[in-house]
Amino acid sequence: MPEVLTRRALNRATLERQSLLERSALSVPEMVERVAGLQAQTPHTWYVGLWSRIRDFDPVGAAGLLEDRTLVRIALMRSTIHLVTARDCLRWRPLVEPVIERVTQGAFGRHLRGLDLDAVAAAGREILDERPLTFGALGKELTSLFPGRDAAALAQVVRARVALVQIPPRGMWGRSGPIAHTSAEHWLGAPQAADPSFEDFVIRYLAAFGPATVMDVQAHCGLTRLREVIEPMGLRIFRNEEGRELYDLPDAPRPAEDTPAPVRFLYDYDNALLSFADRGRMGVLDPEQVRRAWPEHGPVPGPVLVDGTVAATWATARERGTTVLTVTPFAALAARHRDETEAEGERLLRLLAPADTHDVRVAAPW
């Protein structure tokens, strides 16, 4: 019978692979590849994700990697914007294109009936490779070629069928800019992978998030029918406490479940929490906690890991030259955890607001 892994054992394995047990000396591109990309639909919060994982993290240096095209922000897993290296962009975009197509059809299908989608994509690629544009501007230009069609739908066809990167200054540390796009092939000067491998994709996922169920892998990327890919791969098999099969790389790290886990501030869309069908390994089980950590409306607060699981949220506000970081726990924190939270919060403020005075507050529990 396969070995059973407890939720706490799965938690420690994930924290180790996500460099959340101890900050790493890896470079930014190495870390981005280690964690299989960072969800980056907001232009700047992902910098906190790298800060939480890398020793002596330099956000200005990380931003420079967008300018020199080592890193890109592009729609990938779950049809959401991810920060990935150039080579992962070119390897992974063909694999997840069906997900982006499915999402586009679900949202805009009624506007696409009778439309030559290949022709729209080709026209959009030509326009964007000549001059990067926002989707609003792209849709307006496409309506002159496809009169009577919905501009937003036309732009989304291009997003689905052409690998589009958001170009700087969008996403640059301390700066921003319009959400302008061009094709990945044009921006990177290289074609997408001709023979992308689902097996390699699964290996990268497990290296970053495993051990995991088939449903976990599918939740990460949005693809379906991956069991037929995973089962023949000769992976090591465990079971979770509910009896479901977990797949993992044979030699991947699986720390003891009593391994200490430090307080860590994650960012709003951190894949350490989002890339599972079952988020229970990160302590996110209570529906009220889920609602508070990921509200349907309004800004999404950052989660705080205490002893490896989500135990609070954090947010910042500026008050007359002072940046205030407020931590709101789900339940009262033990004294040592409160002290550790305040110290880690002060370190985070030195990243986010180096010129301000700082105030870290632990609010009353929800």
Side-chain angles (χ1 to χ4, degrees):
M1 289 291 292
E3 179 184 349
V4 174
L5 297 179
T6 65
R7 286 188 183 275
R8 190 172 175 87
L10 291 173
N11 172 270
R12 291 318 194 247
T14 301
L15 295 176
E16 168 64 28
R17 299 180 202 193
Q18 288 284 312
S19 293
L20 291 169
L21 287 179
E22 182 179 1
R23 284 185 169 90
S24 170
L26 290 178
S27 69
V28 169
E30 288 170 336
M31 181 57 70
V32 171
E33 291 200 345
R34 173 174 173 144
V35 300
L38 288 88
Q39 188 162 324
Q41 66 200 67
T42 50
H44 301 115
T45 59
W46 53 269
Y47 285 94
V48 173
L50 292 173
W51 168 83
S52 293
R53 292 164 167 87
I54 297 175
R55 290 199 297 270
D56 303 318
F57 172 66
D58 173 20
V60 176
L65 298 172
L66 288 172
E67 285 191 310
D68 72 15
R69 310 184 191 198
T70 300
L71 302 177
V72 295
R73 293 173 63 248
I74 182 170
L76 286 174
M77 283 70 78
R78 306 182 294 275
S79 192
T80 57
I81 299 296
H82 273 68
L83 176 81
V84 292
T85 60
R87 62 182 176 180
D88 279 347
C89 165
L90 297 172
R91 286 187 291 198
W92 290 350
R93 182 53 173 73
L95 294 176
V96 299
E97 184 161 310
V99 179
I100 304 172
E101 286 261 23
R102 185 178 70 236
V103 171
T104 303
Q105 284 289 339
F108 296 95
R110 65 189 180 90
H111 297 293
L112 306 180
R113 297 189 189 101
L115 186 62
D116 186 338
L117 303 183
D118 289 337
V120 174
R125 180 189 293 272
E126 183 176 353
I127 291 169
L128 293 178
D129 285 353
E130 179 179 333
R131 179 167 56 98
L133 295 172
T134 65
F135 284 142
L138 172 63
K140 185 176 180 180
E141 291 211 14
L142 287 171
T143 56
S144 66
L145 302 174
F146 301 91
R149 292 290 184 169
D150 181 81
L154 292 172
Q156 290 301 310
V157 169
V158 181
R159 179 184 186 270
R161 297 201 163 207
V162 181
L164 297 180
V165 298
Q166 291 188 11
I167 65 169
R170 186 72 176 177
M172 296 288 289
W173 181 254
R175 300 166 56 191
S176 194
I179 311 174
H181 301 81
T182 190
S183 74
E185 295 92 335
H186 179 76
W187 184 250
L188 299 175
Q192 294 183 61
D195 55 347
S197 168
F198 282 106
E199 290 80 5
D200 287 347
F201 184 83
V202 170
I203 288 170
R204 292 286 303 283
Y205 172 82
L206 293 176
F209 299 100
T213 65
V214 172
M215 293 300 292
D216 288 329
V217 183
Q218 294 181 166
H220 167 69
C221 61
L223 293 163
T224 58
R225 302 176 63 87
L226 289 185
R227 183 173 297 279
E228 59 198 53
V229 174
I230 293 170
E231 286 188 341
M233 288 178 61
L235 299 165
R236 186 167 178 184
I237 298 176
F238 299 90
R239 288 191 183 275
N240 64 16
E241 292 174 299
E242 290 73 38
R244 298 187 184 92
E245 285 188 331
L246 299 162
Y247 295 88
D248 203 11
L249 307 178
D251 299 323
R254 288 177 288 274
E257 61 180 51
D258 61 353
T259 301
V263 169
R264 287 289 182 261
F265 284 71
L266 304 185
Y267 69 105
D268 45 6
Y269 294 105
D270 201 305
N271 275 340
L273 303 182
L274 300 179
S275 286
F276 301 99
D278 176 9
R279 298 174 184 172
R281 72 177 65 192
M282 307 307 291
V284 185
L285 288 171
D286 185 278
E288 179 63 14
Q289 291 183 14
V290 173
R291 186 187 70 79
R292 291 181 184 277
W294 294 281
E296 292 185 13
H297 306 289
V300 177
V304 182
L305 299 182
V306 177
D307 191 27
T309 62
V310 179
T313 61
W314 67 271
T316 59
R318 200 163 187 269
E319 300 177 1
R320 297 184 297 277
T322 295
T323 297
V324 178
L325 186 154
T326 301
V327 175
T328 307
F330 296 147
L333 300 177
R336 65 185 180 89
H337 289 148
R338 185 185 181 103
D339 291 345
E340 190 180 355
T341 298
E342 290 175 346
E344 185 74 353
E346 174 59 33
R347 286 189 285 270
L348 177 56
L349 286 177
R350 290 200 289 270
L351 171 83
L352 298 177
D356 279 5
T357 55
H358 302 151
D359 184 6
V360 179
R361 304 172 184 173
V362 178
W366 268 323

